Amino acid sequence: MNETLNDSDFSSHAIADQHVLILDFGSQYAQLIARRVREQHVYCEIVRHDISVERVLERAPRGLILSGGPSSVYEGGAPKCDPKLFELGIPVLGICYGMQLACHALGGEVQHAPAREYGRARCHIDAHDGLFAGMPDETDVWMSHGDQVAKVSAEFEALARTDTCPFAAVRHRRLPVFGLQFHPEVTHSPLGNVVIRNFLIDICGCDGLWKMGNFARQTIERVRQQVGDERVICGLSGGVDSSVVAALLYRAIGSQLSCILVDNGLLRKDEQELVITEFTRHFRTDLHVVRAEEKFLGALAGVTEPQEKRRRIGHAFIECFQEEAAKIKGAKFLAQGTLYPDVIESGAAVDGPAATIKLHHNVGGLPEELGFELIEPLRDLFKDEVRQLGLELELPEEIVWRHPFPGPGLAVRCLGEVTRPRLDTLREADDIVVSEIKSAGLYRATSQAFAVLLPIQSVGVMGDARTYESTLAVRCVDTDDFMTADWSRLPQDLLARMSTRIINEVPGVNRVVYDISSKPPATIEWE
């Protein structure tokens, strides 16, 4: 194991007093703000915009960040925070709507902008200390607003401006309250990370101590204290999240861990063998493999509607998992790979946003009759942080950097009815897509690549014979967070090799197409 994770190095010193709260006013960028803060090694959480002053004082953050949002602060019913937050002496950074809200609450005036700004703008910086320490006189920033601060009280001073926005950045003369009309968290503001770092380190006084090594040690200790001498069951899929959970639990409790791998017949080529091999190579603990292909294919027979596929797969999985878990004596806990975006989007965070965007399969999705206490050691992490943790735990890179795979498996990439022959066709084609991307050295440079078997047949000519066979789509995307994604501009010769190999080597396919749609409006998966 990595020396940074030696038990003797564990310290309770950390970062409880080194965190920031992000008040969410409905911004599409709230999670991105959180990721940018954590990139500066400062822990943060996204909380409700109407969190009480008492709760903030109880949590004792080093700083508060007010996110953007789609509302206008001067409209009735617009989301607000308690104005007493500005008087606590805790540094506040308002971004876009958050800035407008702070200025409005402290005597300023917000109006619909005479010239709305959407996109890049040239920002002129007038004060080179505090937020803008180390910054040049001018920099590109990303604007996305229809309203802006038209007038500030005498207690505010302007720090930066654009040609159409005289208050692109402000600060209060008496209170540690700062505002930015632009979005420093997006990559289109190339020096935005400097602004965020200046706020966290210089203004909030954070030391940047939140690192994966610290998180791993603390989480391992917390799991040991929670579990004691009891046994923990962990569902293992071969994906990054479940593998990191298993590695963390094994580090914490060793032989008290039992893992269940459900082979549902919907996995990628040779995936179950890979999982078993990698698992037994890195862990010496109790592994249960459930061979359930017939059960899942039977449940999917004749089904073509995507949501019904998911429902039946989920039901069959629960049955298999529950049946196997009953064979493991003395198990009290169930470990899940729930991530922080899952917690936020499900509305499950204690202080988190109130709106429920989706019911995630790891958050409230398992039936209560399973009867286990949950352990969710990754619920404070984003996907990229999970990968960092996997490297800290010395998992092999082929697991840590593996492209995501949907919970329902190939069933949602096999459009139309799911049958064994169609799955076999899809598996072979998918393996060619991934192997060619790896051969081209682009696997780490892309975020997700896979094949999709379409319920469409088309005419072709192979040799001297007419064919009428299946069409296969190739999907490859680039993304930082999987909330938005753009299609990968793969080299044409690479696409040509994929197509030639698939048509030549995979029986039943005579046409290959490439998906060039982005998310939004399309989703990454086809179903």
Side-chain angles (χ1 to χ4, degrees):
M1 280 293 173
N2 191 313
E3 290 182 1
T4 62
L5 294 182
N6 287 341
D7 295 341
S8 59
D9 292 337
F10 177 79
S11 169
S12 59
H13 173 71
I15 26 198
D17 62 335
Q18 297 272 309
H19 70 278
V20 169
L21 299 181
I22 299 168
L23 278 64
D24 183 13
F25 291 90
S27 171
Q28 60 179 321
Y29 297 135
Q31 292 191 29
L32 191 53
I33 296 172
R35 293 181 71 247
R36 296 293 178 252
V37 170
R38 293 189 183 185
E39 285 172 3
Q40 301 300 329
H41 304 299
V42 175
Y43 183 68
C44 65
E45 290 184 12
I46 299 172
V47 300
R48 298 169 59 104
H49 65 271
D50 57 355
I51 186 171
S52 69
V53 169
E54 292 75 21
R55 183 62 176 148
V56 170
L57 290 173
E58 180 182 334
R59 299 196 58 167
R62 287 291 183 94
L64 302 173
I65 298 178
L66 313 185
S67 83
S71 303
S72 295
V73 297
Y74 47 78
E75 292 179 347
K80 304 285 178 63
C81 64
D82 191 327
K84 294 178 183 176
L85 291 178
F86 301 118
E87 303 284 346
L88 298 179
I90 300 172
V92 176
L93 175 63
I95 296 176
C96 197
Y97 179 87
M99 168 186 170
Q100 297 164 16
L101 182 65
C103 291
H104 185 264
L106 295 170
E109 184 178 336
V110 178
Q111 295 179 353
H112 193 67
R116 297 180 298 174
E117 286 185 303
Y118 295 100
R120 284 187 176 87
R122 196 66 178 164
C123 184
H124 309 270
I125 298 171
D126 298 318
H128 290 79
D129 60 347
L131 278 183
F132 296 107
M135 297 277 285
D137 292 338
E138 292 187 355
T139 184
D140 287 334
V141 297
W142 184 260
M143 292 285 195
S144 181
H145 65 96
D147 294 341
Q148 67 184 39
V149 176
K151 183 171 65 176
V152 294
S153 71
E155 291 190 295
F156 275 97
E157 62 176 315
L159 303 178
R161 55 194 159 80
T162 70
D163 290 343
T164 58
C165 181
F167 301 109
V170 298
R171 70 180 168 202
H172 198 276
R173 300 179 190 275
R174 177 176 57 88
L175 302 171
V177 176
F178 301 79
L180 300 172
Q181 184 56 69
F182 61 87
H183 288 271
E185 69 274 19
V186 301
T187 55
H188 304 303
S189 296
L191 296 180
N193 61 321
V194 177
V195 178
I196 291 173
R197 179 174 177 79
N198 286 340
F199 176 72
L200 297 171
I201 306 301
D202 296 340
I203 295 172
C204 297
C206 296
D207 297 325
L209 297 176
W210 195 74
K211 294 181 171 63
M212 272 304 127
N214 292 335
F215 176 86
R217 289 191 293 272
Q218 290 177 308
T219 305
I220 287 167
E221 183 64 19
R222 188 162 60 243
V223 167
R224 285 175 180 158
Q225 293 173 358
Q226 181 181 2
V227 171
D229 297 329
E230 304 291 344
R231 179 161 291 278
V232 179
I233 295 176
C234 176
L236 194 66
S237 68
V240 177
D241 303 338
S242 69
S243 297
V244 172
V245 169
L248 194 67
L249 290 171
Y250 182 70
R251 175 67 174 166
I253 60 174
S255 61
Q256 294 169 241
L257 174 65
S258 293
C259 290
I260 298 177
L261 169 63
V262 177
D263 180 2
N264 55 15
L266 306 173
L267 303 178
R268 289 169 283 199
K269 185 178 180 179
D270 300 327
E271 186 154 31
Q272 61 272 40
E273 288 80 6
L274 174 65
V275 173
I276 294 170
T277 299
E278 291 294 345
F279 185 86
T280 53
R281 181 185 302 170
H282 293 279
F283 312 104
R284 293 180 178 84
T285 190
D286 187 34
L287 174 62
H288 297 244
V289 180
V290 181
R291 308 288 182 181
E293 180 182 22
E294 295 295 337
K295 181 181 183 69
F296 280 82
L297 289 180
L300 290 169
V303 178
T304 59
E305 203 279 319
Q307 288 302 101
E308 182 63 16
K309 286 183 184 179
R310 290 176 178 271
R311 190 191 70 80
R312 293 194 180 201
I313 290 168
H315 184 71
F317 177 84
I318 290 297
E319 286 186 353
C320 291
F321 195 92
Q322 191 170 20
E323 182 178 333
E324 193 64 28
K327 302 175 184 177
I328 302 173
K329 303 302 181 184
K332 182 179 179 182
F333 296 94
L334 174 66
Q336 294 189 148
T338 307
L339 304 189
Y340 193 43
D342 305 330
V343 175
I344 296 168
E345 293 175 356
S346 67
V350 174
D351 294 312
T356 297
I357 299 172
K358 65 180 180 180
L359 179 61
H360 191 271
H361 68 278
N362 274 351
V363 185
L366 289 176
E368 294 182 1
E369 61 265 24
L370 280 179
F372 297 109
E373 294 183 30
L374 283 181
I375 295 178
E376 297 175 316
L378 308 183
R379 65 181 284 123
D380 294 326
L381 301 184
F382 290 100
K383 190 75 172 187
D384 56 328
E385 294 169 333
V386 173
R387 295 190 194 277
Q388 294 172 31
L389 179 58
L391 294 175
E392 286 283 344
L393 295 166
E394 293 193 330
L395 281 172
E397 290 200 0
E398 56 265 32
I399 289 181
V400 172
W401 294 108
R402 202 164 193 210
H403 286 184
F405 189 61
L410 294 179
V412 293
R413 295 178 180 174
C414 184
L415 276 59
E417 186 176 6
V418 180
T419 65
R420 184 180 285 108
R422 297 192 78 223
L423 287 170
D424 289 341
T425 296
L426 178 56
R427 253 188 286 270
E428 293 300 323
D430 184 76
D431 186 62
I432 290 173
V433 170
V434 173
S435 64
E436 284 295 334
I437 287 178
K438 287 181 176 178
S439 296
L442 294 175
Y443 191 72
R444 286 277 298 274
T446 55
S447 303
Q448 196 166 359
F450 54 91
V452 182
L453 185 61
L454 306 183
I456 299 171
Q457 290 183 305
S458 65
V459 174
V461 178
M462 302 180 77
D464 293 323
R466 177 184 182 276
T467 62
Y468 190 62
E469 295 181 333
S470 295
T471 300
L472 187 125
V474 175
R475 179 73 156 144
C476 187
V477 298
D478 302 326
T479 178
D480 289 329
D481 49 27
F482 292 91
M483 293 181 285
T484 62
D486 196 11
W487 60 278
S488 303
R489 273 63 171 177
L490 296 180
Q492 290 186 9
D493 58 344
L494 172 57
L495 292 172
R497 284 197 304 274
M498 285 182 189
S499 177
T500 299
R501 284 195 60 195
I502 290 170
I503 291 172
N504 286 343
E505 299 176 26
V506 182
V509 176
N510 69 353
R511 190 178 300 272
V512 175
V513 298
Y514 188 54
D515 184 347
I516 59 169
S517 50
S518 297
K519 176 187 178 181
T523 54
I524 295 176
E525 297 290 344
W526 279 48
E527 287 191 342

